[in-house]
Amino acid sequence: VGTKNLLTFLKLKKIKCFICSVRKNKNIIKKFLTKNRINQYFSGIYLMEDLGLNIDNNSSSNRVLIKNSLIHKIIKSHSILDRNIMFIGNSKDDYDSSLNMHVKFIHYVDSYNNFQFKNTIKVKNMPNLQQKLVKVFKNI
């Protein structure tokens, strides 16, 4: 609930959204986005295959390495300053990667992972995430 409203807000504000995933199959993500009619809201989808890597994504340290590399690729490919990146994630790996890459982190709390991180913005649903992003991007 609220996903399209959030994505519309970000698109209207000309805020680029990227999907970064340690998954190996981009077509699954593309099909999901198309099925839910939200593919047009994303500036790109970055997976391990975009890095030319094929490493085990079952290991936490490898997942963090993959995410770090994906963030680095986005920064380089799109000329984005790391201080202008907001990483929204739901796992300890996401949090660790945001710390490694020196980017802001918003913890999307869900039943999948309910970790507690210090000094992070926490959200529990899309409308709550939009409220937090409005505050972050209020000068845009």
Side-chain angles (χ1 to χ4, degrees):
V1 175
T3 301
K4 283 190 180 177
N5 288 340
L6 171 63
L7 292 170
T8 300
F9 163 77
L10 295 171
K11 189 167 187 161
L12 288 172
K13 292 291 187 178
K14 298 182 180 172
I15 298 168
K16 293 180 180 183
C17 295
F18 298 93
I19 294 176
C20 293
S21 177
V22 298
R23 296 189 186 275
K24 294 183 179 184
N25 190 334
K26 191 178 281 191
N27 286 331
I28 291 172
I29 295 172
K30 285 182 175 181
K31 285 179 185 177
F32 173 83
L33 296 175
T34 301
K35 179 182 176 188
N36 289 286
R37 297 183 179 138
I38 56 175
N39 53 321
Q40 72 275 13
Y41 295 103
F42 295 92
S43 298
I45 303 168
Y46 288 85
L47 277 70
M48 185 178 5
E49 70 185 43
D50 298 306
L51 302 170
L53 299 174
N54 189 12
I55 60 175
D56 179 16
N57 62 2
N58 291 315
S59 156
S60 176
S61 61
N62 283 352
R63 287 191 302 270
V64 171
L65 173 68
I66 294 166
K67 291 174 187 190
N68 291 351
S69 299
L70 292 171
I71 292 170
H72 181 74
K73 184 169 182 73
I74 289 170
I75 288 169
K76 293 294 183 193
S77 299
H78 298 274
S79 301
I80 299 172
L81 299 173
D82 55 357
R83 70 174 182 260
N84 292 335
I85 294 177
M86 180 66 64
F87 189 132
I88 301 162
N90 68 338
S91 71
K92 183 167 180 349
D93 298 337
D94 293 338
Y95 177 73
D96 290 344
S97 185
S98 72
L99 287 177
N100 291 343
M101 298 304 294
H102 308 287
V103 298
K104 297 174 211 91
F105 181 75
I106 291 181
H107 181 201
Y108 194 93
V109 180
D110 59 15
S111 58
Y112 176 68
N113 285 314
N114 195 10
F115 296 103
Q116 297 297 318
F117 305 114
K118 294 180 182 178
N119 303 320
T120 61
I121 297 170
K122 294 173 183 58
V123 297
K124 293 185 179 182
N125 55 48
M126 290 297 169
N128 186 223
L129 176 58
Q130 184 171 345
Q131 290 171 346
K132 299 293 183 184
L133 291 174
V134 166
K135 289 179 183 178
V136 170
F137 296 117
K138 67 182 174 185
N139 296 324
I140 294 177

